[in-house]
């Protein structure tokens, strides 16, 4: 399932090594090169946008649900969920935290769980209204991760049709289970948080990637997912990263196991270098500096200290 080899290049008489990895399940490769500063670790001041209230600070101005939802928006003490005015699917909503700015290390399990609580209330509602087969809870934290607004918010996408990723894991569900088993047997297995098993993938989709496989179903697992996300995001904060993506993938009919992926993105900076270049966007290959085995070791040590 996993293959790797080293290619050598001569640069001004010096040998440079490129580790190429291939993951047979995903049919994806990645390349691991020496440390050259691909990941931005420097932090710039962005107080200017932190201090500016935004549309998510004014819930009265946001889009409202129609009568079929029985309420204009979903709300609890920490978050509110409303329709996405630019929907990505038949059901597409935004769940904003109530605070305009939250640092990565401040995302405690309790506030993440409160956000996920509204996301699942919304998913339950759309399941009543329609034949929904797939749902995802997604998170772009800060602009380098794709957020258009600084104010932290997750997004639910629910539809009868899967995304490309979901279709792959649903169609090859047996191989996907084998793939998960292989990852868990490896040195990249991090450990368990409740019923969630965490690992770093052999061929990651992005920097510092961590995958969590949940043994329960979505509606009864958000407390444990929130605990795992608190641990991962706080680890990201500890290694100086302030932008990340999270995706929780759910199949209503259990066509694939409930799981999530988290990656860091470039730190927020004015003239930043994007982490997706021609290799990532046009060759479907990720370039990394840090081996997934090192990420696993680092987060294991970090979690031990907590
Ligand atoms: Zn705001």
């Amino acid at each position: 399932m996993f293959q790797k080899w080293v290619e050598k290049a001569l640069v001004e008489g010096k040998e440079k090594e490129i580790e190429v990895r291939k993951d047979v399940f995903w049919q994806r490769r990645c390349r691991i090169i020496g440390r050259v500063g691909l990941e931005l670790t420097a932090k710039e001041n962005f107080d200017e946008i932190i201090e500016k209230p935004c549309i998510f600070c004014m819930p009265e101005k946001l889009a409202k649900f129609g009568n079929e939802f029985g309420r204009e928006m979903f709300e609890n003490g920490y978050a509110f969920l409303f329709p996405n005015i630019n929907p990505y699917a038949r059901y597409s909503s935004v769940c904003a935290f109530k605070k305009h700015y939250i640092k990565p290390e401040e995302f405690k399990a309790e506030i993440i769980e409160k956000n996920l609580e509204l996301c699942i209330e919304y998913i339950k509602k759309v399941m009543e209204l329609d034949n929904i087969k797939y749902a995802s809870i997604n998170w772009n934290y800060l602009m380098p991760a794709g957020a258009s607004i600084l104010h932290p918010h997750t997004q639910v996408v629910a539809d009868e049709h899967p995304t490309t990723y979901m279709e792959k894991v649903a169609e090859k569900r047996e191989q996907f289970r084998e793939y998960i088993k292989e990852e868990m047997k490896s040195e990249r297995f991090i450990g368990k948080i409740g019923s969630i098993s965490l690992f770093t993938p052999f061929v990651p989709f992005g920097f510092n990637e961590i995958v969590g496989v949940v043994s329960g179903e979505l509606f009864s697992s958000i407390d444990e997912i929130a605990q795992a996300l608190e641990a991962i995001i706080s680890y990201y904060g500890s290694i100086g990263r302030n932008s990340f993506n999270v995706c929780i993938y759910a199949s209503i009919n259990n066509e694939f196991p409930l799981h999530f992926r988290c990656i860091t993105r470039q730190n927020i900076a004015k003239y930043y270098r994007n982490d997706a270049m021609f290799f990532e966007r046009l060759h479907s290959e990720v370039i990394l500096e840090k081996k997934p085995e090192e990420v696993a070791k680092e987060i294991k040590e970090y979690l031990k200290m907590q």
Side-chain angles (χ1 to χ4, degrees):
M1 180 133 4
F2 302 135
Q3 297 156 14
K4 64 178 180 183
W5 62 93
V6 172
E7 285 180 14
K8 290 180 178 166
L10 267 186
V11 182
E12 294 183 319
K14 277 191 193 149
E15 204 170 71
K16 301 258 183 181
E17 291 192 342
I18 306 111
E19 181 175 311
V20 186
R21 292 185 173 199
K22 186 177 172 188
D23 178 321
V24 175
F25 174 74
W26 289 106
Q27 288 292 311
R28 289 183 68 250
R29 294 170 192 226
C30 74
R31 284 159 200 267
I32 304 170
I33 60 176
R35 295 196 183 261
V36 290
L38 285 180
E39 289 185 71
L40 280 186
T41 52
K43 285 186 179 168
E44 271 182 21
N45 180 301
F46 54 105
D47 285 351
E48 195 191 337
I49 47 170
I50 293 173
E51 284 155 13
K52 218 173 8 185
C54 69
I55 180 98
F56 292 175
C57 294
M58 297 170 254
E60 66 286 357
K61 290 198 175 168
L62 296 164
K64 308 277 186 292
F65 288 110
N67 289 339
E68 68 279 20
F69 279 85
R71 72 203 90 176
E72 289 189 335
M73 61 170 58
F74 296 68
E75 188 177 358
N76 61 28
Y78 294 89
F80 50 92
L81 181 144
F82 48 94
N84 192 338
I85 51 164
N86 299 307
Y88 295 115
R90 201 185 301 163
Y91 297 97
S92 189
S93 65
V94 177
C95 188
F97 290 88
K98 283 197 169 165
K99 238 176 123 181
H100 174 69
Y101 175 61
I102 305 173
K103 292 179 187 162
E105 51 274 27
E106 291 170 349
F107 283 107
K108 297 297 169 203
E110 189 194 2
I111 67 163
I112 299 173
E113 188 182 340
K114 285 289 180 188
N115 184 293
L116 298 180
E117 189 180 279
L118 295 187
C119 295
I120 64 166
E121 269 181 47
Y122 171 76
I123 295 169
K124 281 180 184 166
K125 187 69 203 172
V126 300
M127 282 167 66
E128 273 172 41
L129 297 174
D130 211 333
N131 180 27
I132 291 306
K133 293 192 184 134
Y134 306 93
S136 58
I137 302 173
N138 310 278
W139 191 355
N140 302 325
Y141 178 78
L142 296 191
M143 288 70 164
S148 56
I149 290 181
L150 170 101
H151 192 132
H153 58 283
T154 60
Q155 300 191 51
V156 181
V157 176
D159 209 320
E160 179 191 349
H161 303 287
T163 60
T164 308
Y165 176 101
M166 288 168 154
E167 185 171 58
K168 167 128 183 148
V169 290
E171 279 179 355
K172 297 188 179 252
R173 76 180 87 177
E174 283 319 310
Q175 292 98 316
F176 185 55
R177 284 181 201 280
E178 281 306 307
Y179 159 80
I180 291 171
K181 260 193 225 161
E182 284 297 310
E183 291 285 27
M184 307 260 233
K185 278 195 286 189
S186 75
E187 61 182 303
R188 295 177 303 282
F189 177 64
I190 297 163
K192 283 186 130 189
I193 291 183
S195 69
I196 303 176
S197 303
L198 300 170
F199 64 84
T200 59
F202 179 75
V203 175
F205 284 59
F207 295 145
N208 303 300
E209 180 166 348
I210 292 161
V211 178
V213 181
V214 189
S215 59
E217 51 88 43
L218 180 64
F219 302 140
S220 59
S221 304
I222 56 164
D223 54 338
E224 288 183 345
I225 296 175
Q227 285 167 33
L229 292 180
E230 177 193 327
I232 294 164
I233 296 166
S234 125
Y235 158 69
Y236 287 165
S238 80
I239 57 167
R241 303 302 191 280
N242 65 15
S243 185
F244 57 82
N245 291 111
V246 175
C247 180
I248 305 169
Y249 310 87
S251 156
I252 306 301
N253 304 326
N254 290 316
E255 289 177 53
F256 53 79
L258 178 64
H259 65 288
F260 58 84
R261 307 184 90 96
C262 310
I263 55 172
T264 59
R265 302 298 300 274
Q266 300 297 49
N267 279 358
I268 188 161
K270 210 170 189 175
Y271 300 109
Y272 84 116
R273 169 198 177 274
N274 197 289
D275 56 12
M277 50 155 169
F278 66 87
F279 252 113
E280 287 81 5
R281 296 299 302 266
L282 303 175
H283 287 282
S284 303
E285 288 194 20
V286 170
I287 307 292
L288 301 165
E289 301 177 316
K290 193 156 69 174
K291 293 188 181 185
E293 292 72 19
E294 281 177 55
V295 178
K297 196 166 162 249
E298 217 174 75
I299 186 169
K300 269 191 240 177
E301 279 164 16
Y302 173 78
L303 293 177
K304 255 189 257 163
M305 291 186 306
Q306 296 306 294

